[in-house]
Amino acid sequence: MHPCSACTVRTLTVCAALEAEELRRLAEILQTTRFDAGHTVFGEGDPAETLYNVTSGTVKVYKLLPDGRRQITGFLLPGDFFGLSVNDSYAYTAETVTPVSLCRFPRRRMEALLDEFPKMQRRLFSMASNELAAAQDQMLLLGRKTAKEKICSFLLLLSQRASRRGHKTNPVHVPMSRADIADYLGLTTETVSRTFTQLKTSRVISLLEGNKVQIQDMDDLLDLAEGA
Amino acid sequence: MHPCSACTVRTLTVCAALEAEELRRLAEILQTTRFDAGHTVFGEGDPAETLYNVTSGTVKVYKLLPDGRRQITGFLLPGDFFGLSVNDSYAYTAETVTPVSLCRFPRRRMEALLDEFPKMQRRLFSMASNELAAAQDQMLLLGRKTAKEKICSFLLLLSQRASRRGHKTNPVHVPMSRADIADYLGLTTETVSRTFTQLKTSRVISLLEGNKVQIQDMDDLLDLAEGA
DNA sequence: CGTCCGCTTGACGGAGGTCAATTTGGGTGG
DNA sequence: CCACCCAAATTGACCTCCGTCAAGCGGACG
């Protein structure tokens, strides 16, 4: 019995569509770990020796400017992969938002496995393509959307991602702080807060207990997210 | 004799590190085309039946909001690959900036070839990873940099990309319009123009004939690009 | 030589940033 | 169980960077 057999996100990630034999080989090189909230998994510039897969919780990845300005380039949910690097060091920092469970894959051994199982390689490529498409959406958001459109897009994104993981789309769980949301959307915490208030006042959303946001009118939100 | 033997950007793209046999097979499915400046290669939402490789000229890819706001997510230079899609339609529009030569690969046949030659698959994955890292840099730029930092970063990017293609890094050729630069950096043409003037006045750059920008002090520019 | 388009420059305004003061709420110890 | 504490969130007042609108300017091309 290896841990993968109980893995609830296997279908979402690189492990999907592996044969029993392939899965066994993957499980051989894999380690599982847990971290508390607020733990730095690796820092920008650290030697990139490990690949990670989120199995529970939320991770944020971000880049910094010398003066401390921060851009969060993604929130990683169960099933998401991270730790790929172009040269031999990570190009960003990865930090847990909530308590998190991770699978660790030593990079070298993972690369060997990818060469051996083209199906896995292909799956990873497909995941990278998806990420690329998401990155392009995010560029449109950062470069051209207003604060209100950004917040609405963000809520929709969380809702859609929850849906893909088989959770209910509404209300949507928002585990990250206002500061994290701000750094993801290219805003300040104050603007994020004001915009939430504004959306609440105009009855598009309401804020529930436990960091949950109830979407009152999904169609309104979809229009608001694109400025229509 | 197939066209690849004369290709000057082969080492930069997916065709690099292919065996003669693999290259021959790739050449079999490949078509070359030329377009004038300002030609739409494909539009967002079009069925994604072809992959492209730039062999000369510059291509821009962009996404639009319903009201016409535009975000250019990348400028593609010789050796760059584009046309990958997640589902079966393109997620962005591709349009030529200058006269352009392209290699066209029918998607289905390309996928078959990728399955047959894992080395190519791997190379493509590596290129996608690079693009992903570039996308993350661009998110940092769009979300957190000032207009001046954006322009300086942009000039440095062009200079570095020229360098990787074996061209001289300075002066740097800027083939795209102010409007395109603006839509790439999340600014307006007016701000782009003003910022160029400002950099010119403070003797960081000077504008030369033929859309060339002379970088007067590379270290200054590097610092300005990161707000240091 | 006139027209057009892209670029530049100027004047002005507003979306969102900055700084600061409260308020809220989750965690902790008495 | 409650009082306290502190970080996070909210709200307000003010300001700035960049967008908007508008007017030149100059090179390309018919």
Side-chain angles (χ1 to χ4, degrees), chain B residues 60-128:
Chain B
K60 64 188 174 197
V61 296
Y62 59 85
K63 295 172 78 82
L64 293 171
L65 288 171
D67 63 3
R69 280 174 287 170
R70 187 175 70 145
Q71 179 66 42
I72 293 182
T73 56
F75 291 109
L76 305 172
L77 304 184
D80 288 332
F81 211 84
F82 68 103
L84 288 174
S85 81
V86 171
N87 41 32
D88 287 335
S89 56
Y90 296 115
Y92 49 82
T93 301
E95 189 179 324
T96 59
V97 172
T98 63
V100 158
S101 302
L102 300 175
C103 290
R104 299 170 46 108
F105 304 95
R107 183 187 174 177
R108 292 252 156 254
R109 303 181 69 180
M110 186 68 174
E111 282 172 354
L113 226 51
L114 287 176
D115 282 342
E116 203 174 333
F117 301 130
K119 204 188 297 175
M120 246 176 85
Q121 175 99 273
R122 176 154 193 174
R123 176 75 184 154
L124 203 57
F125 174 61
S126 151
M127 289 177 71

Side-chain angles (χ1 to χ4, degrees), chain A residues 63 66 69-71 86 92 115 121-122 130 132 135-137 139-140 143-144 149 182-183 187 226, chain B residues 63 66 69-71 86 92 115 121-122 130 132 135-137 139-140 143-144 149 182-183 187 226:
Chain A
K63 295 172 78 82
R69 279 174 288 170
R70 186 174 70 146
Q71 179 65 43
V86 170
Y92 49 83
D115 283 342
Q121 175 100 277
R122 175 154 195 173
N130 271 298
L132 209 46
Q136 287 159 358
D137 283 340
M139 288 188 229
L140 177 61
R144 290 303 181 206
E149 288 161 2
D183 283 346
L187 300 171
E226 301 239 302
Chain B
K63 295 172 78 82
R69 280 174 287 170
R70 187 175 70 145
Q71 179 66 42
V86 171
Y92 49 82
D115 282 342
Q121 175 99 273
R122 176 154 193 174
N130 271 298
L132 209 45
Q136 287 160 359
D137 283 340
M139 289 189 228
L140 176 62
R144 290 304 181 205
E149 289 161 2
D183 283 346
L187 298 172
E226 300 240 302

Side-chain angles (χ1 to χ4, degrees), chain A residues 147-210:
Chain A
K148 192 197 263 193
E149 288 161 2
K150 285 176 177 182
I151 295 286
C152 292
S153 300
F154 178 63
L155 291 173
L156 284 170
L157 178 70
L158 288 184
S159 175
Q160 287 159 198
R161 293 182 78 181
S163 156
R164 278 189 23 88
R165 281 167 179 75
H167 305 140
K168 58 182 178 320
T169 59
N170 197 7
V172 56
H173 183 221
V174 184
M176 59 290 286
S177 68
R178 296 288 184 262
D180 283 348
I181 298 172
D183 283 346
Y184 182 61
L185 300 177
L187 300 171
T188 59
T189 60
E190 292 92 332
T191 299
V192 171
S193 191
R194 275 187 255 272
T195 307
F196 268 114
T197 305
Q198 191 188 335
L199 290 172
K200 203 172 51 180
T201 305
S202 55
R203 311 234 178 269
V204 181
I205 62 169
S206 49
L207 306 184
L208 308 181
E209 307 228 311

Side-chain angles (χ1 to χ4, degrees), chain B residues 187-205:
Chain B
L187 298 172
T188 58
T189 60
E190 291 92 333
T191 299
V192 170
S193 190
R194 276 187 255 270
T195 307
F196 268 113
T197 304
Q198 191 189 335
L199 290 172
K200 203 171 51 179
T201 306
S202 55
R203 312 235 177 266
V204 181
I205 62 170

Side-chain angles (χ1 to χ4, degrees), chain B residues 42-55:
Chain B
F42 57 76
E44 187 172 343
D46 289 354
E49 285 156 4
T50 311
L51 299 174
Y52 297 87
N53 207 350
V54 182
T55 55

